[in-house]
Amino acid sequence: MARYGMVIDLDRCTGCGACVTACKAENNVAIVSEDDAKMGRTMFWMKMLVGYEGEYPNIKMKFIPRLCFECDKPPCIKVCPVRATYKNEDGLVAQIYPQCIGCRYCMAACPYTVKVFNWYRYVPEKPMSNCINPDVSVRPKGVVEKCTFCIHRLQKAKELAQAEHRKMREGDYVPACMQVCPAKAFYFGDLDNPQNRVTEAMRDVRGFTLLEDLGTDPKVHYLHAK
Amino acid sequence: MNSQNYKTDEDEVLFRPIYHTGRGFYLIAAVLLLIMLVAGTLYVSQLIYGLGVTGMGEPVTWGFYIIDFIFFIGISHAGTLISAILRLSKAEWRRPITRMAEVITAIVLAIGGLHPIIDLGRPDRILHLVTSGRLQSPLLWDVFSITAYFTASTVYLYLPLIPDIALLRDRGDKHHKLYEFLSWGYNGSPEHKKVLERAINILMVMVIPIAISVHTIISWIFAMTLQPGWHSTIFGPYFVVGAIFSGIAALLIIMIIFRKAYHFENYLRDVHFDYLSTLLLIMSLLWFYFTFAEYLTGFYGHEPQEMRVFFYKIDGRFAPLFWLMVVCNFVIPVILLGFKKLRKIPGILIASFSVILGMWLERLIIVIPSLANPRLSYVRTGVYFPSITEVMLLLFGLAALGFGFMMFSKLFPLISIWEIKEGREESVHNVSQRLKGYFPAPQAMHSMEVEGHHEQ
Amino acid sequence: MNNKTIVILQVFSVTLIWGLVLSITALCIHLIHVAYRVHDVPDATVAISIIAILIFWVLGSILTYVFVGLHKQRG
Ligand code: SF4
Ligand code: SF4
């Protein structure tokens, strides 16, 4: 049983947004119309948060790629009335689409406003309909979804390792956002394995998590020199 | 049985609405039905297209439906709670009021209970709550507490209705079989009275904690999350106070309307409005106290995330609504009800409407600003504007309340006839006895040392 | 519709509330069962169920008490 976690080095991140795009394509995340976007219905599993530091003219922009933090003590799971969101044996906070009744309580409970809701049924339009990822289901209308750490890739990696009669190795399983990052800002792996590069990165002094004081224990850490 | 004999009944006015229906009734019923029909159609479109037809988005993921849910369930506290408290404290002036209060509860609870289902993205999967519900989710607490409250309050409406149904049955005019069935064989004998009285007594003690738990649990839906502005221990009592507050206002409105429509002037007298509006005034002050305490502690602590919500409410986008709420819930009622001169029917009616509006706004101001300003400060402040579907479904709730009330009035008396009769026959005697018991009897002074307090 | 049907209907209405009470009880037991099976905070589930079951049983009893009381005296 692993406990997957991630470290993102904000000092390396250039804010290019490759991870955002890769995530959308990988997970068949719906593309919404302009009107809906104005109402705040854009769907991002990986979203680029932009913060500003300092006063004009000495402004520094701060990019924070934000995905689901796969909290170790997730407040979103506690409130779900039907067990549609749960923590699986790999420490991932998973979402069961056919189980969700769409009450959106978990969205209100997540302090990071990570979850997104399918306001309509998503029918991919022309260019996009040609590049639907067959490994990931397109979600029905009326359910909540969020970043899964590309759980389908974990599934595949596990099966491959099993077929080759070996244990999972570091790098067997990598989410799409990390794979495409040109600045190599991501570290990812099993947090229970002290040899992994991700565990090493987690011990970095620059490390922090968002809203640390809430005690949600996010498994995604950031590195940023103050 | 010849109904002719009963025409001389001294409470004939109370039976009248059941046997006579005016033109206005059909007209209003038709309008209400029309509203409900239109709203129903819109709801069907929501079923087909999904929740996208509403104005909700992210981060404001709960909108009118949840607000209306809290609001309607709040109004439902009018009834059972008030009538139970008044019965328990033996307030004799309750007699013509309790029935209406209980009817409001039953109807509004049914309407309010529908709202979370309307709000679901997948109402077709509602049965998942049964097959794999999680009792640790506050939503499930709500399912249970509302079911319990609905059952308790319908029983509590029904039991005191039995003697009246028996009266109607004995008149034998209309719906004879229905009354026969519903009266459960009640014949007004002392044994029957005793059974009924005992059951009502147990129920009214039980119904109070259930009613309080219902709105506390609704508040916990919010308070159990970590969101700024919601995560507050005061929310339980705060919601209950608000619920009773809006409940009394709704009760007053309905009393005034039906008093006019059905000529109940002789039964709902100035004294009833006087007492009830005093209660409304007290609740208004209490509401202000709670609101003040809630916001002051938030402000004084000055936590940045709390402050974002706080300022959004008091001088940001929601400022007009916030201050309108304060005016509606506090300033207007205190002015109109605080002075004896203004505390007349028109004044009370205006104050009640303003309280209803104000309490609805309060629910709005609790739900939306907290969602619009998520804890993570990098997330942009959300906007929310209701769509026509949501507005129509709010109207649906109000129309259904009116319609349900009108239907009830055509089947059962809106004022408890037997309680009025009983009051007329017994309570003067009982009350004077009771009053005597409040004070030391004159002869007790002399025999104090000898007999102690055993004097009656 | 004679008197007999009416009495039968009345008995049926009492059965209805017991139907509700029993199904709530069954639901609670089922939910406790599931909570134990998936190790999902069973203690809280049990505590909440006990309260819920109790309330509904009392409600059902009161109604039955009235029903029996009103019917006994009629003979
Ligand atoms: S970040 Fe939000 S959605 Fe993800 S696990 Fe934590 S609380 Fe749940
Ligand atoms: S929206 Fe779905 S996953 Fe979220 S709490 Fe409701 S049922 Fe659970």
Side-chain angles (χ1 to χ4, degrees):
Chain A
M1 296 304 109
R3 208 168 65 86
Y4 288 99
M6 180 183 272
V7 174
I8 304 175
D9 190 341
L10 297 184
D11 295 333
R12 285 178 160 231
C13 172
T14 58
C16 70
C19 50
V20 178
T21 320
C23 174
K24 269 214 124 146
E26 174 78 16
N27 292 299
N28 305 329
V29 180
I31 295 167
V32 302
S33 71
E34 201 182 323
D35 287 340
D36 281 327
K38 277 189 194 135
M39 295 171 78
R41 290 173 179 174
T42 40
M43 296 247 203
F44 286 113
W45 287 12
M46 166 65 101
K47 191 173 185 172
M48 191 61 81
L49 300 182
V50 185
Y52 302 95
E53 276 176 355
E55 293 276 308
Y56 181 82
N58 300 314
I59 290 188
K60 239 171 97 184
M61 252 174 138
K62 193 166 146 190
F63 296 103
I64 308 179
R66 186 231 54 198
L67 58 172
C68 169
F69 296 113
E70 309 288 342
C71 308
D72 240 1
K73 301 190 185 109
C76 60
I77 286 184
K78 260 194 246 167
V79 299
C80 178
V82 293
R83 251 179 229 103
T85 169
Y86 73 108
K87 208 163 102 176
N88 74 4
E89 69 275 9
D90 289 312
L92 303 182
V93 176
Q95 191 81 27
I96 312 173
Y97 309 121
Q99 175 74 3
C100 175
I101 58 173
C103 65
R104 310 192 294 298
Y105 197 0
C106 52
M107 299 177 77
C110 169
Y112 307 97
T113 37
V114 157
K115 298 202 164 189
V116 286
F117 184 73
N118 286 279
W119 300 98
Y120 295 104
R121 196 165 87 86
Y122 174 49
V123 189
E125 269 167 28
K126 200 53 194 141
M128 284 317 289
S129 57
N130 294 333
C131 42
I132 286 294
N133 183 355
D135 291 340
V136 181
S137 64
V138 173
R139 274 74 58 190
K141 76 157 194 257
V143 303
V144 161
E145 60 183 56
K146 68 161 187 75
C147 155
T148 61
F149 263 5
C150 293
I151 199 168
H152 53 284
R153 292 187 171 210
L154 171 63
Q155 199 63 36
K156 273 183 159 176
K158 266 186 181 167
E159 276 161 20
L160 190 71
Q162 207 176 18
E164 291 172 1
H165 303 291
R166 60 172 172 84
K167 282 231 161 73
M168 290 264 293
R169 282 190 301 251
E170 195 188 353
D172 272 0
Y173 158 41
V174 159
C177 48
M178 168 170 182
Q179 194 183 20
V180 298
C181 179
K184 303 245 176 316
F186 289 78
Y187 304 88
F188 182 84
D190 184 357
L191 299 181
D192 285 342
N193 184 347
Q195 263 95 53
N196 273 347
R197 286 183 54 212
V198 63
T199 20
E200 205 175 294
M202 258 193 188
R203 290 194 290 269
D204 193 310
V205 284
R206 294 176 296 152
F208 71 100
T209 62
L210 289 180
L211 303 181
E212 218 154 336
D213 45 351
L214 291 184
T216 51
D217 279 2
K219 283 201 287 288
V220 177
H221 289 224
Y222 292 106
L223 304 180
H224 182 44
K226 289 275 145 55
Chain B
M1 220 157 272
N2 187 358
S3 61
Q4 219 49 42
N5 296 345
Y6 289 90
K7 292 288 185 257
T8 48
D9 192 313
E10 49 187 342
D11 295 319
E12 189 54 40
V13 182
L14 301 183
F15 287 113
R16 228 188 105 82
I18 301 175
Y19 301 105
H20 301 274
T21 307
R23 262 258 269 341
F25 180 89
Y26 291 113
L27 207 73
I28 296 174
V31 172
L32 294 183
L33 265 180
L34 193 72
I35 295 177
M36 285 157 71
L37 210 70
V38 174
T41 333
L42 285 173
Y43 177 63
V44 171
S45 86
Q46 174 183 318
L47 277 183
I48 295 170
Y49 295 111
L51 277 176
V53 299
T54 66
M56 294 182 274
E58 277 129 37
V60 186
T61 46
W62 280 343
F64 262 40
Y65 298 149
I66 295 291
I67 296 164
D68 299 346
F69 165 59
I70 318 172
F71 173 71
F72 280 120
I73 302 278
I75 285 186
S76 81
H77 282 55
T80 309
L81 198 60
I82 292 179
S83 92
I85 291 174
L86 292 184
R87 271 215 178 98
L88 204 60
S89 58
K90 298 213 181 65
E92 287 297 333
W93 56 274
R94 66 158 200 272
R95 291 178 186 272
I97 297 175
T98 46
R99 173 72 45 79
M100 290 197 190
E102 289 150 14
V103 179
I104 297 184
T105 302
I107 296 174
V108 165
L109 256 186
I111 300 168
L114 279 180
H115 276 82
I117 302 175
I118 296 176
D119 186 61
L120 288 187
R122 300 297 302 220
D124 50 321
R125 294 180 181 165
I126 187 87
L127 278 183
H128 289 192
L129 285 175
V130 175
T131 53
S132 50
R134 278 169 90 236
L135 275 177
Q136 64 152 312
S137 164
L139 280 187
L140 254 267
W141 306 348
D142 243 332
V143 172
F144 277 86
S145 72
I146 290 178
T147 321
Y149 190 36
F150 185 68
T151 326
S153 59
T154 15
V155 174
Y156 188 67
L157 166 68
Y158 175 57
L159 291 187
L161 196 59
I162 289 181
D164 279 357
I165 298 177
L167 285 179
L168 286 165
R169 174 197 62 193
D170 295 343
R171 289 170 75 106
D173 257 6
K174 224 174 163 185
H175 310 303
H176 179 69
K177 294 288 175 194
L178 177 74
Y179 294 137
E180 174 99 46
F181 159 59
L182 284 175
S183 66
W184 272 12
Y186 182 85
N187 62 10
S189 66
E191 292 88 4
H192 278 187
K193 272 207 171 121
K194 195 142 168 248
V195 168
L196 212 57
E197 205 163 289
R198 197 176 288 156
I200 293 175
N201 281 345
I202 303 175
L203 252 183
M204 72 189 175
V205 175
M206 229 184 110
V207 124
I208 294 174
I210 296 183
I212 291 179
S213 79
V214 169
H215 230 249
T216 309
I217 287 177
I218 290 180
S219 81
W220 282 347
I221 289 187
F222 303 98
M224 291 296 164
T225 67
L226 290 170
Q227 302 308 341
W230 285 358
H231 193 52
S232 153
T233 50
I234 206 178
F235 255 43
Y238 186 28
F239 270 50
V240 174
V241 164
I244 301 174
F245 187 32
S246 62
I248 298 176
L251 178 58
L252 276 167
I253 292 176
I254 286 200
M255 274 166 65
I256 292 174
I257 292 177
F258 281 87
R259 174 180 122 119
K260 186 107 186 107
Y262 291 156
H263 309 292
F264 289 160
E265 283 88 353
N266 261 334
Y267 294 87
L268 300 171
R269 288 158 164 256
D270 286 346
V271 54
H272 300 112
F273 290 102
D274 193 29
Y275 285 0
L276 214 52
S277 55
T278 313
L279 219 53
L280 188 69
L281 179 62
I282 296 172
M283 293 316 288
S284 170
L285 298 174
L286 206 55
W287 175 87
F288 183 77
Y289 162 68
F290 267 96
T291 311
F292 187 70
E294 161 80 5
Y295 285 96
L296 183 69
T297 36
F299 175 71
Y300 205 91
H302 224 83
E303 224 194 315
Q305 286 127 1
E306 290 277 346
M307 279 306 102
R308 195 168 154 208
V309 179
F310 181 83
F311 285 120
Y312 187 73
K313 287 182 191 178
I314 70 158
D315 74 8
R317 236 184 109 90
F318 265 61
L321 295 175
F322 183 87
W323 294 111
L324 181 63
M325 165 187 86
V326 174
V327 169
C328 281
N329 275 350
F330 184 66
V331 181
I332 294 182
V334 166
I335 292 177
L336 284 181
L337 304 177
F339 301 99
K340 212 132 202 154
K341 259 221 198 90
L342 297 172
R343 203 157 75 216
K344 295 273 145 45
I345 302 281
I348 294 175
L349 191 65
I350 296 171
S352 304
F353 271 116
S354 107
V355 168
I356 289 286
L357 174 65
M359 279 315 293
W360 187 84
L361 284 174
E362 196 227 71
R363 306 325 191 180
L364 176 84
I365 283 163
I366 284 175
V367 174
I368 307 290
S370 276
L371 283 170
N373 296 280
R375 201 169 258 278
L376 205 58
S377 48
Y378 301 109
V379 181
R380 249 195 310 153
T381 306
V383 284
Y384 169 72
F385 202 80
S387 75
I388 184 82
T389 313
E390 288 169 287
V391 176
M392 276 314 287
L393 278 167
L394 171 59
L395 290 183
F396 172 88
L398 296 174
L401 168 60
F403 189 73
F405 218 92
M406 287 165 78
M407 288 296 119
F408 185 91
S409 76
K410 287 295 145 195
L411 283 177
F412 306 105
L414 275 184
I415 289 181
S416 182
I417 296 170
W418 70 277
E419 280 190 274
I420 296 272
K421 286 194 196 300
E422 184 193 79
R424 216 182 270 133
E425 285 156 16
E426 295 166 15
S427 51
V428 176
H429 175 70
N430 288 351
V431 170
S432 59
Q433 277 309 83
R434 193 169 3 122
L435 272 179
K436 274 188 198 144
Y438 292 166
F439 309 106
Q443 73 268 34
M445 304 276 201
H446 307 292
S447 51
M448 193 79 98
E449 293 97 277
V450 193
E451 292 179 26
H453 293 285
H454 299 300
E455 283 289 327
Q456 205 38 343
Chain C
M1 218 163 49
N2 52 16
N3 272 344
K4 194 124 185 212
T5 5
I6 288 183
V7 173
I8 291 174
L9 273 175
Q10 285 167 346
V11 173
F12 177 70
S13 63
V14 180
T15 343
L16 218 63
I17 184 120
W18 279 104
L20 176 72
V21 172
L22 291 179
S23 51
I24 296 264
T25 314
L27 171 63
C28 283
I29 294 172
H30 167 70
L31 295 184
I32 293 174
H33 184 76
V34 178
Y36 266 103
R37 213 182 54 217
V38 301
H39 303 291
D40 192 15
V41 210
D43 25 1
T45 313
V46 171
I48 295 163
S49 317
I50 289 174
I51 302 172
I53 292 175
L54 210 74
I55 289 175
F56 281 98
W57 276 80
V58 174
L59 281 178
S61 317
I62 293 176
L63 213 60
T64 321
Y65 167 74
V66 173
F67 183 77
V68 173
L70 292 189
H71 276 251
K72 207 166 57 198
Q73 254 96 41
R74 206 156 57 161

